[in-house]
């Protein structure tokens, strides 16, 4: 068997937000995702992670993130341990720093889905192994990696394109803006009053990376990709009723899609609420690539795990 073990002096890298990877590294991972997906589709085994273990810590619910990381690690020859708050000592107030010290002595890679970004940062600070953000209140970088990969599969490059975000200034919206800055496209953003982007979180972001619109229909004009997400993210359920009122006009429908370029794609990270943030006609229609997008979590994350554990490989 080929020895894929990373060199001992390889610097420890985490993926807590998109900006943790340079533009060149993001493009490298996206290209590796293409190669790894192609091999997988042709039933060519690729198992560099023999004897390697991924620990997944879920403090919020998940379908796609869990299945894609778990399946991906097994497909690459490794093993997975699944922890939640309720079935681990995290739910009984063991400090996250102590959990990080212990878990990272036993596994090779950790994926965490949690609440505040500061919580995953604290884990990473005390971890001996790479830590991957599987969603926090502030960021969802694995999803955007898969989304950009999906866009490139369908339309080759995302550079110079307009991506329109309709809805909440949530983890997905901010992560799209980081990707726009790194990869050279523009995010058009529209949310109701009171739910806009926080300028404090956009300090240092190029003015060309994003533009805000009051009117969601206007925001879709000339878009190459229209995307949205739930009106109420996990952890904000108490605001659900209030948000339903506020976001009523921020539903991606056929009229909004008609403002976009004729070949525009539609994406949604899922889970979706048809009739709220998107109509069934759009999400189940011909411009929607949501199922490719969901599948590509698997391939993009396999490439990400390979990069974090093995670094950049010579082209094969
Ligand atoms: N899109 C996404 O992260 O889905 P899950 O919440 O099902 O993991
Ligand atoms: N913004 C959503 C994404 C779910 C995958 C949430 O945080 O709940």
């Amino acid at each position: 068997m080929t020895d894929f073990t990373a060199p001992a002096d390889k610097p420890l890298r985490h993926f807590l937000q998109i900006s943790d990877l340079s533009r060149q590294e993001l493009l490298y991972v996206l290209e590796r995702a293409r190669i790894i997906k192609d091999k997988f589709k042709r039933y060519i085994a690729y198992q560099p992670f023999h004897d390697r273990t991924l620990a997944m810590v879920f403090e919020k619910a998940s379908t796609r993130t869990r299945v894609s990381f778990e399946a991906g690690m097994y497909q690459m020859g490794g093993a997975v341990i699944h922890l939640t708050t309720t079935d681990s000592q995290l739910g009984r107030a063991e400090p996250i720093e102590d959990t990080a010290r212990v878990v990272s002595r036993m596994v090779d890679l950790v994926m965490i889905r949690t609440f505040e970004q500061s919580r995953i940062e604290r884990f990473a600070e005390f971890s001996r192994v790479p830590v991957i953000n599987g969603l926090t209140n502030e960021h969802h970088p694995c999803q955007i990696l898969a989304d950009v990969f999906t866009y490139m599969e369908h339309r080759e490059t995302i550079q110079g394109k307009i991506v329109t975000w309709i809805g909440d200034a949530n983890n997905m919206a901010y992560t799209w803006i980081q990707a726009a800055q790194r990869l050279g496209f523009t995010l058009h953003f529209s949310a109701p009053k009171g739910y806009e982007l926080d300028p404090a979180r956009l300090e240092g972001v190029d003015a060309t990376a994003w533009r805000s619109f009051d009117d969601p229909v206007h925001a879709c004009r000339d878009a190459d990709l229209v995307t949205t997400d739930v009106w109420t993210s996990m952890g904000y359920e108490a605001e659900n009723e209030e948000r339903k009122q506020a976001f009523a006009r921020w539903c991606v429908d056929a009229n909004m899609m008609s403002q976009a370029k004729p070949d525009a794609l539609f994406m949604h990270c899922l889970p979706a609420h048809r009739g709220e943030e998107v109509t069934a006609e759009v999400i189940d229609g011909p411009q929607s690539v949501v199922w490719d997008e969901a599948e590509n979590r698997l391939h993009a994350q396999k490439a990400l795990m390979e990069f974090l554990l093995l670094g950049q490989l010579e082209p094969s």
Side-chain angles (χ1 to χ4, degrees), residues 18 65 113 133-148 163-180 185 187 189 197 201 225 227-230 233-234 236 267-271 293 297:
I18 285 283
T65 304
R113 168 168 287 197
N133 183 346
L135 181 146
T136 56
N137 293 348
E138 290 90 346
H139 297 277
H140 198 3
C142 293
Q143 182 68 56
I144 298 301
L145 204 56
D147 293 5
V148 170
V163 176
T164 294
W165 175 267
I166 300 297
D168 194 21
N170 65 12
N171 40 17
M172 286 288 297
Y174 284 103
T175 310
W176 268 116
I177 292 177
Q178 282 201 349
F185 61 92
L187 190 89
F189 173 92
L197 295 159
R201 284 193 59 191
L225 166 64
T227 185
T228 187
D229 187 11
V230 291
S233 287
M234 291 181 279
Y236 299 83
M267 288 190 195
H268 189 311
C269 65
L270 306 175
E293 186 189 353
R297 292 291 301 277

Side-chain angles (χ1 to χ4, degrees), residues 57-59 83-96 99 119 123:
V57 180
F58 283 97
E59 302 204 290
L83 295 168
T84 67
T85 318
T86 45
D87 66 14
S88 70
Q89 300 290 5
L90 282 167
R92 297 179 63 252
E94 179 165 19
I96 193 102
T99 308
R119 199 161 157 77
F123 191 107

Side-chain angles (χ1 to χ4, degrees), residues 62-285:
S62 169
T63 297
R64 279 145 288 269
T65 304
R66 175 168 180 190
V67 175
S68 54
F69 270 107
E70 192 158 336
M73 194 64 188
Y74 286 134
Q75 288 162 14
M76 292 180 91
V80 180
I81 296 170
H82 176 251
L83 295 168
T84 67
T85 318
T86 45
D87 66 14
S88 70
Q89 300 290 5
L90 282 167
R92 297 179 63 252
E94 179 165 19
I96 193 102
E97 293 83 355
D98 291 357
T99 308
R101 287 178 170 111
V102 172
V103 171
S104 71
R105 281 181 179 233
M106 299 177 184
V107 304
D108 303 277
L109 195 57
V110 179
M111 190 288 308
I112 306 181
R113 168 168 287 197
T114 188
F115 292 87
E116 298 78 23
Q117 182 75 7
S118 57
R119 199 161 157 77
I120 198 168
E121 285 169 0
R122 281 163 57 204
F123 191 107
E125 192 183 338
F126 289 88
S127 175
R128 287 184 169 188
V129 300
V131 177
I132 298 172
N133 183 346
L135 181 146
T136 56
N137 293 348
E138 290 90 346
H139 297 277
H140 198 3
C142 293
Q143 182 68 56
I144 298 301
L145 204 56
D147 293 5
V148 170
F149 178 62
T150 307
Y151 188 84
M152 290 169 68
E153 266 191 333
H154 284 269
R155 299 284 184 264
E156 290 193 11
T157 180
I158 199 162
Q159 189 170 354
K161 299 290 166 69
I162 295 174
V163 176
T164 294
W165 175 267
I166 300 297
D168 194 21
N170 65 12
N171 40 17
M172 286 288 297
Y174 284 103
T175 310
W176 268 116
I177 292 177
Q178 282 201 349
Q181 165 102 354
R182 275 281 187 270
L183 298 173
F185 61 92
T186 306
L187 190 89
H188 285 185
F189 173 92
S190 181
K193 292 243 170 311
Y195 297 92
E196 300 104 329
L197 295 159
D198 174 3
R201 284 193 59 191
L202 296 171
E203 273 173 27
V205 176
D206 293 345
T208 51
W210 68 285
R211 192 176 154 194
S212 190
F213 294 78
D214 293 337
D215 178 358
V217 179
H218 188 186
C220 291
R221 208 172 283 167
D222 294 329
D224 297 283
L225 166 64
V226 178
T227 185
T228 187
D229 187 11
V230 291
W231 292 337
T232 305
S233 287
M234 291 181 279
Y236 299 83
E237 289 79 3
E239 301 173 15
N240 199 22
E241 284 313 307
E242 189 185 312
R243 284 169 169 269
K244 276 190 179 173
Q245 307 290 324
F247 281 86
R249 282 199 307 121
W250 277 260
C251 170
V252 179
D253 59 10
N255 179 41
M256 285 191 199
M257 290 304 294
S258 75
Q259 301 295 309
K261 294 213 176 99
D263 69 343
L265 301 176
F266 172 79
M267 288 190 195
H268 189 311
C269 65
L270 306 175
H273 299 86
R274 289 169 176 77
E276 291 190 11
E277 72 274 7
V278 60
T279 61
E281 185 185 10
V282 169
I283 196 169
D284 299 319

